[in-house]
């Protein structure tokens, strides 16, 4: 379940099994902070996944966009009435205030849209344009500047959004601190092989930019394919010119892959399961529910992923499990389709 006591027990059990908890990555569920207090882990560093905040910001922007369009529609209707028959009173008392409202709402939307872009940029690990790995101080400055600007938008939903951001601000960029710490030893070793700082920067940015644009493709951002291909070519050329750098490139890729963001894997599975459960309003008993879930688990573990790092393979194949057939229905004894 989602109670703080359950999460607290899970943390204690992890420790009893030998895990050393130095940091926690969570998706901003309300019970998490309480679970830390219950098991006296309040000092453990926390990274809250900004994805939910980015999604909420998109919803707020969409709400402001709809309000602006409604205001534009009102202005157009008033203009049609005035075009048919001029009415001084209508012009002064309705049209002019409607135009002012339209301009205000459009300005609010455009301002929010611009600063949402900066907010997303603050949460980036790697600048996809330059390949620069973002340092915590720069990201913290950009986040603070963004919140200061958003505070100036006098709109209730925007202000509620800013309040949420402020409440979680201290835990939104922890992943950059972890990455910076992981890069210390790497950069020290890299400096031994690249004495010139410019060479170090070129190597790091080429590898990091390749990683960032590859992640964009994995996440389905197909519009970035030309840039990703160029970054891949630059990465391949780097390794071809200095084959000994392959190990350092893989080490840097591993550090970037290990940045503390949630994978939303559980939410992805829940989204899949929800579609199947929609057609089921209930189950006869606990046994039929369990049987249904067992079928879902079998189907999920045998389905082939269509995109991402796992494309072309099923969970069973990734885990090295051979169930004897690639068709889950055939495995249950049903004739092949």
């Amino acid at each position: 379940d989602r109670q703080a006591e359950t999460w607290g027990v899970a943390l204690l059990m992890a420790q009893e099994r030998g895990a050393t908890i130095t940091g926690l990555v969570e998706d901003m569920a309300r019970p998490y902070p309480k679970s830390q207090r219950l098991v006296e882990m309040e000092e453990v560093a926390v990274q809250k996944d900004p994805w939910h905040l980015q999604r909420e910001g998109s919803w707020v922007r969409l709400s402001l966009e709809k309000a602006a369009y409604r205001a534009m529609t009102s202005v157009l209707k008033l203009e049609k009435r005035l075009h048919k028959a001029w009415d001084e009173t209508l012009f002064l008392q309705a049209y002019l205030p409607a135009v002012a409202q339209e301009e205000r709402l459009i300005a609010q939307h455009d301002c929010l849209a611009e600063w949402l872009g900066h907010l997303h940029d603050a949460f980036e690990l790697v600048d996809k344009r330059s390949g620069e790995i973002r340092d915590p101080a720069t990201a913290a400055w950009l986040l603070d500047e963004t919140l200061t600007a958003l505070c100036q938008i006098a709109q209730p939903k925007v202000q509620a959004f800013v309040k949420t951001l402020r409440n979680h601000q201290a835990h939104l960029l922890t992943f950059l601190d972890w990455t910076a710490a992981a890069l210390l030893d790497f950069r020290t070793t890299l400096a031994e092989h690249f004495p010139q700082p410019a060479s170090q920067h070129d190597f790091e940015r080429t590898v990091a930019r390749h990683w960032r644009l590859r992640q964009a493709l994995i996440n389905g951002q197909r519009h970035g394919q030309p840039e990703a291909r160029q970054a891949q070519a630059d990465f391949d050329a780097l390794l071809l010119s200095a084959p000994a750098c392959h190990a350092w490139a893989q080490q840097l890729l591993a550090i970037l892959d290990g940045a503390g963001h949630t994978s939303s894997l559980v939410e992805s599975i829940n989204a899949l399961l929800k579609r199947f459960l929609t057609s089921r309003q209930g189950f006869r008993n606990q046994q039929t529910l369990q049987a249904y879930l067992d079928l879902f688990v079998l189907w999920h573990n045998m389905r082939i992923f269509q995109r991402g790092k796992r494309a072309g393979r099923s969970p069973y194949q990734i885990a090295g499990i051979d169930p004897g057939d690639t068709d889950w229905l055939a495995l249950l004894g049903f004739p092949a389709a």
Side-chain angles (χ1 to χ4, degrees):
D1 58 43
R2 302 179 180 180
Q3 297 182 41
E5 291 79 3
T6 303
W7 291 115
V9 170
L11 292 174
L12 293 176
M13 291 176 64
Q15 286 186 320
E16 289 179 357
R17 292 170 181 167
T20 300
I21 300 177
T22 59
L24 297 169
V25 182
E26 44 108 323
D27 63 358
M28 303 176 61
R30 292 182 179 179
Y32 289 142
K34 183 180 178 182
S35 70
Q36 287 183 253
R37 292 194 297 270
L38 289 174
V39 297
E40 299 180 351
M41 288 190 187
E42 294 176 89
E43 301 303 318
V44 173
V46 172
Q47 167 63 43
K48 294 182 180 292
D49 189 357
W51 180 84
H52 292 83
L53 293 174
Q54 291 172 311
R55 181 182 62 173
E56 183 179 345
S58 297
W59 287 344
V60 175
R61 187 203 62 78
L62 181 60
S63 177
L64 265 62
E65 181 182 57
K66 290 180 177 179
Y69 276 126
R70 287 195 296 269
M72 293 167 66
T73 300
S74 297
V75 169
L76 289 173
K77 288 181 178 178
L78 289 170
E79 287 178 347
K80 288 181 179 179
R81 290 177 59 185
L82 291 170
H83 182 70
K84 289 181 179 179
W86 179 258
D87 186 325
E88 188 74 17
T89 302
L90 180 65
F91 175 76
L92 295 174
Q93 297 183 2
Y95 179 72
L96 291 182
V99 170
Q101 173 80 340
E102 175 192 44
E103 292 176 349
R104 184 179 66 84
L105 293 178
I106 291 175
Q108 283 185 346
H109 168 269
D110 292 348
C111 184
L112 176 65
E114 178 182 353
W115 284 101
L116 279 181
H118 296 310
L119 179 66
H120 290 202
D121 196 26
F123 296 144
E124 286 283 3
L125 175 60
V126 174
D127 187 322
K128 66 179 181 180
R129 295 155 296 191
S130 67
E132 179 184 7
I133 299 176
R134 186 66 51 78
D135 67 275
T138 300
W141 169 82
L142 181 55
L143 177 58
D144 198 55
E145 288 291 307
T146 300
L147 292 178
T148 300
L150 291 177
C151 283
Q152 308 307 312
I153 303 177
Q155 204 278 344
K157 291 184 178 180
V158 175
Q159 292 305 307
F161 178 55
V162 172
K163 182 179 179 180
T164 300
L165 285 168
R166 290 288 190 195
N167 290 339
H168 298 292
Q169 185 177 0
H171 303 294
L172 293 176
L173 302 175
T174 310
F175 75 100
L176 290 176
D177 294 325
W178 290 337
T179 303
L183 286 171
L184 285 175
D185 291 339
F186 169 78
R187 285 170 172 165
T188 300
T189 305
L190 190 65
E192 298 174 1
H193 298 269
F194 293 95
Q196 298 298 325
S199 299
Q200 297 173 30
H201 293 159
D202 288 344
F203 174 85
E204 186 176 291
R205 292 187 178 193
T206 299
V207 175
R209 187 167 186 268
H210 160 64
W211 175 87
R212 174 61 181 85
L213 293 171
R214 185 185 65 181
Q215 292 299 115
L217 292 183
I218 289 173
N219 292 330
Q221 300 173 20
R222 300 301 176 190
H223 62 275
Q225 284 184 340
E227 290 180 298
R229 283 195 294 267
Q230 182 59 54
Q232 177 73 58
D234 294 341
F235 177 75
D236 293 340
L238 175 68
L239 298 186
L240 186 62
S241 63
C245 294
H246 187 273
W248 308 119
Q250 293 305 315
Q251 185 177 346
L252 179 55
L253 291 174
I255 291 173
L256 297 175
D257 278 335
H261 279 297
T262 60
S263 65
S264 297
L265 179 60
V266 172
E267 292 186 7
S268 298
I269 294 176
N270 285 341
L272 284 172
L273 181 58
K274 186 176 182 180
R275 290 187 296 174
F276 289 97
L277 293 179
T278 299
S279 61
R280 302 284 303 193
Q281 300 303 314
F283 293 90
R284 184 176 302 173
N285 51 47
Q286 189 73 22
Q287 288 70 33
T288 58
L289 169 60
Q290 187 60 57
Y292 192 86
L293 292 176
D294 290 342
L295 283 175
F296 173 81
V297 170
L298 179 63
W299 168 82
H300 176 269
N301 286 335
M302 294 189 68
R303 73 188 185 98
I304 304 296
F305 291 110
Q306 300 301 311
R307 64 182 180 89
K309 296 179 181 179
R310 302 170 295 179
R313 296 183 295 167
S314 70
Y316 273 158
Q317 291 172 334
I318 295 172
I321 299 174
D322 181 9
D325 203 307
T326 58
D327 187 336
W328 71 283
L329 288 173
L331 200 63
L332 293 174
F334 293 91

